[in-house]
Amino acid sequence: MIVWINGTHGVGKTTTSALVQRLLPGSRVFDAEKVGETLMDIRPGLPETDNFQHWPPWRPLVVETARRVLDYAGGTLVMPMTVLVERYWREISAGLAEHAIPVRHFVLHADQGTLRDRIEGDAVMGPSPFRLRYLEPYAEAARTWLHAEAEVVDTTHLTPEEAALRIAGAVER
């Protein structure tokens, strides 16, 4: 099984995923961003883009990597990854379905003011123009398709530990 934790950049996916992994026996965290980083390391580089998800190889490579890891190690993969383009989500979820891999799709949500405050006040990464740039695309995806496609966990007033407990509890039901 895959527990996909979606949401905008800076909402707490990485932190929450590590906590969910500790709560789900036999689970591992697989950050699909590493697949994008591998593609970014190709020299000479692939065609210019502002987001590696736009490269057509990224999506099937995420599916294939997840499938291979599950075939090898079993258990559950907890995957923190922002996917805001509906067509990309459909491609990934269809690819996983072709391999009969069940997916529980969660979206960590917080209101725009809380997200902005978290991003601007991030003591580890500092204020991030990259993260701030995705606030409106996230809001648009949430309004048009994303929240209908996932189990939404509103983290506006939750700690990462509380969000992780909700996700793990939903998965174990």
XYZ file of all heavy atoms in Angstrom, residues 116-132:
133
model
N 1.266 30.891 4.973
C 2.213 31.993 4.773
C 3.063 32.196 6.035
O 4.282 32.337 5.961
C 1.455 33.263 4.394
C 2.350 34.428 4.006
C 1.534 35.578 3.433
N 0.803 35.211 2.233
C 1.334 35.106 1.025
N 2.607 35.335 0.850
N 0.587 34.779 -0.008
N 2.424 32.189 7.196
C 3.159 32.361 8.459
C 4.167 31.230 8.667
O 5.303 31.474 9.096
C 2.197 32.406 9.646
C 1.374 33.684 9.699
O 1.702 34.656 8.973
O 0.379 33.699 10.462
N 3.771 29.993 8.379
C 4.688 28.859 8.549
C 5.885 28.975 7.605
O 7.024 28.713 7.993
C 3.961 27.539 8.287
C 3.005 27.140 9.383
C 2.318 25.833 9.038
N 1.280 25.515 10.011
C 0.417 24.531 9.862
N 0.452 23.754 8.787
N -0.503 24.303 10.780
N 5.622 29.332 6.370
C 6.707 29.434 5.380
C 7.644 30.580 5.737
O 8.870 30.418 5.720
C 6.122 29.597 3.961
C 5.398 28.311 3.539
C 7.209 29.973 2.956
C 4.517 28.456 2.308
N 7.089 31.723 6.058
C 7.922 32.886 6.372
C 8.658 32.720 7.698
O 9.728 33.291 7.888
C 7.074 34.154 6.369
C 6.603 34.523 4.969
C 5.629 35.693 4.920
O 5.141 36.131 5.988
O 5.352 36.161 3.798
N 8.106 31.919 8.613
C 8.737 31.734 9.914
C 9.524 30.445 10.054
O 9.932 30.084 11.163
N 9.776 29.748 8.960
C 10.479 28.462 9.016
C 11.909 28.672 9.509
O 12.734 29.287 8.833
C 10.482 27.803 7.634
C 10.964 26.365 7.665
O 11.955 26.075 8.381
O 10.379 25.531 6.966
N 12.199 28.153 10.706
C 13.515 28.335 11.318
C 14.598 27.496 10.645
O 15.778 27.817 10.735
C 13.443 27.993 12.805
N 14.213 26.416 9.952
C 15.190 25.535 9.312
C 15.512 26.024 7.898
O 16.666 26.226 7.546
C 14.676 24.071 9.277
C 15.630 23.177 8.525
C 14.456 23.563 10.694
N 14.485 26.210 7.077
C 14.700 26.580 5.677
C 14.660 28.085 5.449
O 15.062 28.562 4.398
C 13.662 25.898 4.780
C 13.806 24.392 4.781
S 12.767 23.591 3.565
C 13.489 24.121 2.034
N 14.150 28.818 6.423
C 14.004 30.253 6.238
C 12.838 30.548 5.304
O 12.248 29.644 4.732
N 12.523 31.830 5.139
C 11.450 32.197 4.217
C 11.796 31.717 2.808
O 12.927 31.849 2.368
C 11.420 33.729 4.285
C 12.116 34.078 5.548
C 13.106 32.982 5.802
N 10.825 31.131 2.126
C 11.098 30.511 0.841
C 10.201 31.089 -0.247
O 8.998 30.794 -0.270
C 10.867 28.997 0.942
O 10.854 28.407 -0.332
N 10.777 31.878 -1.179
C 9.976 32.368 -2.300
C 9.398 31.210 -3.122
O 8.282 31.301 -3.628
C 10.965 33.182 -3.131
C 12.038 33.584 -2.159
C 12.121 32.452 -1.168
N 10.144 30.099 -3.235
C 9.663 28.924 -3.961
C 8.367 28.423 -3.340
O 7.380 28.188 -4.029
C 10.727 27.818 -3.963
C 10.240 26.510 -4.533
C 10.231 26.290 -5.896
C 9.770 25.494 -3.703
C 9.780 25.094 -6.432
C 9.315 24.290 -4.215
C 9.319 24.102 -5.595
N 8.371 28.241 -2.040
C 7.179 27.736 -1.353
C 6.013 28.723 -1.473
O 4.872 28.322 -1.696
C 7.473 27.470 0.113
C 8.337 26.255 0.344
C 8.695 26.143 1.808
N 9.210 24.833 2.123
C 9.489 24.438 3.340
N 9.293 25.246 4.374
N 9.959 23.227 3.561
N 6.307 30.003 -1.303
C 5.254 31.016 -1.392
C 4.621 31.043 -2.778
O 3.420 31.273 -2.913
C 5.815 32.395 -1.036
C 6.185 32.587 0.438
C 6.962 33.885 0.621
C 4.943 32.563 1.323
